[in-house]
């Protein structure tokens, strides 16, 4: 199973409130059969309308940490929104608050949603804008976020934090880790025993 304990990398800031899932990934990109290639369309409409949008800025292209505002990921429940951010390169989103379904969808794919105060988000945004190469160090065990000489503390429900740091979020990993027990159960069940070696 894949544990998410530390995230280190540059950041990107879109410090606005009520960014909904339709802005994160417009509806026309939901017709995909797989999520492959969806990352390049993150914030597509916003980027077309505003050429100076941070997701258009090559200086932020290696960002792993997204900083945003209140009620991030509101709107529809589409799982494509966190998928597009993850496939763009984002590994954690630090915001003032999250829509509940978006938060859960992040945990389900191993993207860490962390809550922080507005003053801390503003401080983080300013540091990122001053130095796009600034390395941010996010410790999921302590929820400390270090950047330069600064440190802030985030918030995450204990159940979500535990799921990430222990790897319990990774359902496929859990399934594969339990393959011997699953195969044994298949052999023990009379209606499956003839198919165990197929």
């Amino acid at each position: 199973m894949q544990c998410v304990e530390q995230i280190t990398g540059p950041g990107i800031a879109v410090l606005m409130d009520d960014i909904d899932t339709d802005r994160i990934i417009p509806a026309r990109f939901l017709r995909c059969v797989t999520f492959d290639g969806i990352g390049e369309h993150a914030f597509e409409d916003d980027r077309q309308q505003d050429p100076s949008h941070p997701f258009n800025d090559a200086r932020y292209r290696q960002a792993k940490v997204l900083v945003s505002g209140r009620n991030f990921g509101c709107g529809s429940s589409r799982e494509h929104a966190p998928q597009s951010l993850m496939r763009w390169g984002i590994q954690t989103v630090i915001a003032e608050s999250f829509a509940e379904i978006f938060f859960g969808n992040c945990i389900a794919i191993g993207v860490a949603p962390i809550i922080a105060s507005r003053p801390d988000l503003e401080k983080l945004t300013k540091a990122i804008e001053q130095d796009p190469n600034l390395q941010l160090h996010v410790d999921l065990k302590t929820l400390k976020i270090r950047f330069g000489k600064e440190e802030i503390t985030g918030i995450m429900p204990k159940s979500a934090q535990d799921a990430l740091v222990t790897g319990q979020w990774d359902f496929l990993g859990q399934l594969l880790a339990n393959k011997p027990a699953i195969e044994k159960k298949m052999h023990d069940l009379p209606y499956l025993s003839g198919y165990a070696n197929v």
Side-chain angles (χ1 to χ4, degrees), residues 67-171:
V67 177
S68 196
R70 184 176 58 248
N71 199 26
F72 189 80
C74 58
S76 72
S77 60
R78 65 186 67 164
E79 60 183 320
H80 298 68
Q83 282 279 355
S84 68
L85 293 175
M86 180 185 75
R87 289 165 191 275
W88 191 85
I90 299 301
Q91 296 178 10
T92 180
V93 182
I94 304 171
E96 191 172 353
S97 62
F98 293 89
E100 186 176 355
I101 294 175
F102 179 88
F103 186 97
N105 285 340
C106 282
I107 297 295
I109 60 173
V111 171
I114 299 173
I115 297 164
S117 71
R118 193 65 170 220
D120 283 346
L121 294 169
E122 289 170 352
K123 189 188 302 183
L124 193 49
T125 296
K126 184 177 179 182
I128 290 168
E129 290 175 347
Q130 286 178 344
D131 181 6
N133 296 314
L134 179 68
Q135 294 293 298
L136 283 63
H137 305 279
V138 181
D139 186 331
L140 268 295
K141 289 182 175 179
T142 62
L143 296 176
K144 301 289 186 188
I145 301 129
R146 289 183 292 111
F147 52 103
K149 296 179 180 178
E150 303 273 358
E151 180 180 275
I152 63 173
T153 303
I155 300 167
M156 183 185 290
K158 190 76 167 74
S159 58
Q161 182 184 17
D162 288 346
L164 289 168
V165 300
T166 64
Q168 295 297 313
W169 69 272
D170 184 2
F171 295 116

